[in-house]
Amino acid sequence: MLEIKKLQKSFNLDRDNILVVFDEFNLKIKANTTTAIIGPNGCGKTTLLNLISGNEKADNGNIILNGIDITNEAEEKRATRISRVHQDPSKSVSLNLTVLENLALADKKGENFTLNKLIRKQKKDRYIEILKSFNIGLENKINEKVKFLSGGQRQSLSLIMACMKNPKLLLLDEHTAALDPKASALVLEKTRDLIQKNKITTLMVSHNIRDALRYSDRIIMLDSGRIIIDRPSLNIKESEIFDIYKENLKERFVS
């Protein structure tokens, strides 16, 4: 479904302190699975999502989605097949538009439209039903501007919008990190429900190992752009992940 071949990415190429993030990086992701990407700050997690989404351009290598090489595609073109939810709830929504207007924009993703034809009355009932499925009262705020919503409500709306057009690939970039524990748990449960219902292949970056194990099929840990753990989530424990990572760090510093 998603295949990354010999990916290379470095920063500061015009300076003395060149930062190599990925060098000959390879990865295959199966369709209809959720893969959690974990690892310390600076290991390449968000950079990997940026390269897949087109936010960053690869120096070399190939990114192949459903058999199509998208390595050199513009981010806007990739966005018709790839959706992303950011850590900051405000990045995925338009704060000064209403919930209804945001949903209508998401529903028009990849299509040509004019503002005066953005909202079709016959679709409002569908939007309300989608909001009701989250069971947090968003349907009662459909005409309210998004800037007045709570963080959990904004992120729930971001998730709904990201999945409205049934993307081929969903990228979750620590999408619950900015939420309180209660809101985070709710959004994660709704995330799993949406992914399973719509059979969306998903990459989920997380700093919370327990959540990563619970809500994924596969765990990949990165360290300095290398994969040091790649296991089915059911076959690995939280303590094992910490032990493997500690051992890897010890070997690196001793050598």
Side-chain angles (χ1 to χ4, degrees), residues 7-192:
L7 188 69
Q8 295 182 334
K9 182 62 183 178
S10 299
F11 295 96
N12 304 331
L13 293 176
D14 57 342
R15 303 176 189 173
D16 294 331
N17 57 331
I18 295 177
L19 174 63
V20 178
V21 182
F22 292 111
D23 185 18
E24 301 285 318
F25 181 82
N26 298 288
L27 179 65
K28 286 185 179 181
I29 301 294
K30 292 182 179 179
N32 303 331
T33 60
T34 297
T35 301
I37 309 291
I38 62 175
N41 289 332
C43 71
K45 301 187 300 295
T46 295
T47 299
L48 180 61
L49 296 196
N50 286 340
L51 290 166
I52 294 170
S53 68
N55 183 260
E56 295 278 359
K57 184 174 174 58
D59 298 332
N60 211 339
N62 300 92
I63 301 170
I64 301 166
L65 182 65
N66 281 351
I68 300 172
D69 193 323
I70 63 170
T71 312
N72 296 312
E73 277 190 0
E75 184 176 11
E76 294 76 17
K77 186 173 182 181
R78 296 190 207 190
T80 61
R81 288 168 285 174
I82 301 173
S83 287
R84 185 171 182 173
V85 181
H86 297 269
Q87 178 178 338
D88 181 355
S90 302
K91 283 190 175 182
S92 303
V93 294
S94 298
L95 296 178
N96 288 314
L97 296 181
T98 65
V99 172
L100 176 59
E101 289 167 337
N102 271 274
L103 289 171
L105 278 173
D107 204 12
K108 287 290 185 179
K109 185 178 179 180
E111 300 178 24
N112 294 320
F113 63 91
T114 57
L115 289 177
N116 63 334
K117 292 184 179 180
L118 174 61
I119 300 174
R120 296 177 180 175
K121 292 182 179 179
Q122 64 267 33
K123 289 199 172 185
K124 185 174 180 179
D125 289 342
R126 173 174 167 256
Y127 298 154
I128 289 174
E129 287 305 310
I130 293 172
L131 294 174
K132 279 183 178 180
S133 70
F134 263 64
N135 197 32
I136 57 174
L138 270 176
E139 68 276 8
N140 300 319
K141 298 178 181 290
I142 195 164
N143 294 311
E144 193 167 313
K145 288 188 176 182
V146 173
K147 65 183 179 182
F148 297 120
L149 301 181
S150 69
Q153 289 172 328
R154 289 183 192 178
Q155 204 62 312
S156 295
L157 179 61
S158 299
L159 185 61
I160 291 170
M161 291 168 62
C163 296
M164 281 193 76
K165 302 287 279 189
N166 291 325
K168 301 297 182 185
L169 181 65
L170 177 63
L171 306 177
L172 303 175
D173 192 0
E174 298 187 62
H175 73 304
T176 61
L179 306 179
D180 62 66
K182 184 177 180 180
S184 175
L186 173 66
V187 171
L188 283 168
E189 290 292 334
K190 296 304 180 182
T191 300
R192 181 167 60 187

